[in-house]
Amino acid sequence: MPGKGKGKREGEGEGGEGGAGSGAGLPPVVDRVPTRDKVVFLTYDDGAERDPRFIDLVRERRLPVSMFLTDSVVGPGYGHFARLRSVGASLQNHTLDHPALRGLPYAGQRAEICGQQRKLRSRFGIRPHLFRPPYGTYDATTLRAAADCGIAAVVLWRITLEGDGTLTYTRGAHRPAPGDIISVPAGETPPLTLAERTTRLLRVLEEQGLKVGRLEDHLR
């Protein structure tokens, strides 16, 4: 579990390889974005790592990163994310308590998702429209609950930036490509800081002729 020293992997939910969830009115499930723009999307999970140098990096490089926050992990650290938001990061939903949602009753899933919607609205005055299920696991009930909580898209990932700065891939070519969503899970004691890992990733992206795009602009 991010923030608990365990990696998380995609592919355990329904919806296939980045396809839409079934059912009218349900949010699509995406692990990449169809685009001709040479951009990828950087997403950070939980909020366990609060590296002040990462704020400087986001400001200096004008990185439009997306932070998927879990209330029980962020704890008293919401001030850090207010500063990140002030320099251009967006804040999105990753549940209240980070449970594996698949198989839970509708009421429990809705409480986790809608509860974090309310937390983020009360703290920042925002209504997130993107949601990442913990561990990448979900089911049809998750999609229904997410829709009822005002979520427009359920966001998975094709690439993971590991704690040592290496990249792992859930499927497809083992190199970043336009439209890829990159997950940066948190860890208890990663070898590299969040700023160091992100800086290494930016070098790789530059070598591939890729830039960082704003995920929210492509999923509205």
Side-chain angles (χ1 to χ4, degrees), residues 129-208:
H129 66 277
L130 303 182
F131 170 65
R132 171 164 287 162
Y135 312 103
T137 63
Y138 66 96
D139 56 20
T141 302
T142 312
L143 301 184
R144 185 160 60 96
D148 292 345
C149 294
I151 296 297
V154 173
V155 180
L156 302 182
W157 60 94
R158 192 182 80 86
I159 303 174
T160 300
L161 177 63
E162 305 289 358
D164 61 358
T166 61
L167 297 175
T168 58
Y169 301 82
T170 63
R171 63 182 179 88
H174 282 206
R175 64 178 181 278
D180 278 338
I181 297 173
I182 302 174
S183 168
V184 186
E188 289 181 349
T189 56
L192 300 175
T193 67
L194 206 56
E196 290 169 339
R197 300 203 302 279
T198 302
T199 299
R200 286 195 181 192
L201 174 61
L202 293 174
R203 293 194 195 105
V204 172
L205 297 178
E206 289 166 1
E207 291 170 359
Q208 299 289 329

